[in-house]
Amino acid sequence: MTLLTAVRAALGAAAVPEDAEPMRAYMKSALPFWGVKKKARQAALTPVFAAHPVAGRAALEREVRALWFGATHREERYAALDLMRRREHRGLWTPAALPLLEELVVTGAWWDLVDELATKLVRATLGNAPESAETLRRWSRGDDLWLRRAAILAQIGLEDTTDRALLAELIEPAIPSSEFFLRKAIGWALRDLSKVDPDWVRAFVDGHSGLSGLSRREALKHLGPRS
């Protein structure tokens, strides 16, 4: 039995049909749902992944693509993300993985998939190899909305190790955009950094008058008034 077949069987066994359509409608998904929520999905898939170990980048990419592009239900794409984030694969998130991640961002093209790719896996490539930043610069200047969002969100969670200059470079091309998903990403990234460097975030907001109200509100959400 292939991993895809085993994953599909496990999700089918855990399916809650009455939840499937509400989940699909909430995500505005073209793919149907099995109706398996996150905790139930992880419980169903943990033994599947244990029984189908994947060793090395080539094998992982092959299985991820099978799950992602062979998916008949959206949870099978979530399963691809779950597989990628397993502990034994952490060392694989280097610049060599960025072509795969770029492909998944472009074809995922919605926040539930893209945000996890960005904040967990693309971010990991920055942590493992700072030269990944050049790819993010290219994404930030391109035409694809989801790559631009992923580039901005990829530094969320880096805290004190955040490259402030890089974050500014990734945000600035998106400031003139009226796209909600870019404006929200800008605000979230700045808000996250404000936890450890509020002065830098205030200075960035003050120095960029073109920031949308949404980005500005999100960025300053947890900062009190100036002393």
Side-chain angles (χ1 to χ4, degrees):
M1 181 182 291
T2 66
L3 177 57
L4 171 58
T5 302
V7 164
R8 187 169 292 155
L11 292 171
V16 182
E18 59 267 31
D19 289 339
E21 178 54 26
M23 291 171 72
R24 187 209 64 77
Y26 175 73
M27 281 300 166
K28 303 179 181 179
S29 175
L31 282 173
F33 274 77
W34 286 108
V36 184
K37 295 181 180 178
K38 183 176 181 179
K39 287 185 178 179
R41 183 186 80 239
Q42 292 174 337
L45 295 181
T46 295
V48 173
F49 292 146
H52 294 78
V54 179
R57 178 179 291 111
L60 179 61
E61 291 197 7
R62 182 171 61 250
E63 296 294 1
V64 165
R65 285 194 169 93
L67 287 164
W68 194 268
F69 295 109
T72 59
H73 293 72
R74 198 167 189 88
E75 290 98 331
E76 291 160 27
R77 287 194 163 183
Y78 296 159
L81 297 173
D82 292 338
L83 175 62
M84 295 164 80
R85 291 186 59 195
R86 284 178 66 83
R87 180 179 291 111
E88 62 265 30
H89 300 142
R90 287 178 182 172
L92 299 179
W93 305 115
T94 69
L98 285 168
L100 171 65
L101 296 175
E102 181 169 345
E103 184 178 9
L104 299 183
V105 168
V106 170
T107 56
W110 198 241
W111 64 266
D112 59 329
L113 302 172
V114 170
D115 290 10
E116 184 162 346
L117 286 163
T119 59
K120 302 299 190 292
L121 300 166
V122 178
R123 183 185 75 190
T125 74
L126 279 170
N128 291 339
E131 59 266 31
S132 296
E134 191 52 44
T135 295
L136 301 194
R137 290 186 182 96
R138 174 174 61 80
W139 290 3
S140 75
R141 297 191 294 264
D143 295 328
D144 188 275
L145 165 64
W146 298 103
L147 287 176
R148 295 171 74 190
R149 179 176 170 94
I152 294 168
L153 294 181
Q155 290 198 43
I156 285 182
L158 289 175
E159 299 182 338
D160 280 330
T161 65
T162 300
D163 183 333
R164 277 73 159 168
L166 174 62
L167 180 60
E169 283 186 70
L170 300 176
I171 287 174
E172 285 166 352
I175 288 175
S177 176
S178 61
E179 287 282 358
F180 168 82
F181 287 107
L182 290 180
R183 290 182 168 186
K184 195 78 167 177
I186 291 169
W188 282 349
L190 291 172
R191 185 180 72 195
D192 187 70
L193 182 57
S194 76
K195 298 172 189 175
V196 296
D197 197 344
D199 291 340
W200 189 94
V201 171
R202 284 191 184 280
F204 184 91
V205 170
D206 288 347
H208 292 79
S209 59
L211 280 170
S212 70
L214 174 60
S215 297
R216 190 178 297 271
R217 285 192 302 276
E218 288 288 345
L220 302 177
K221 188 172 184 178
H222 298 313
L223 297 182
R226 293 179 186 277
S227 56

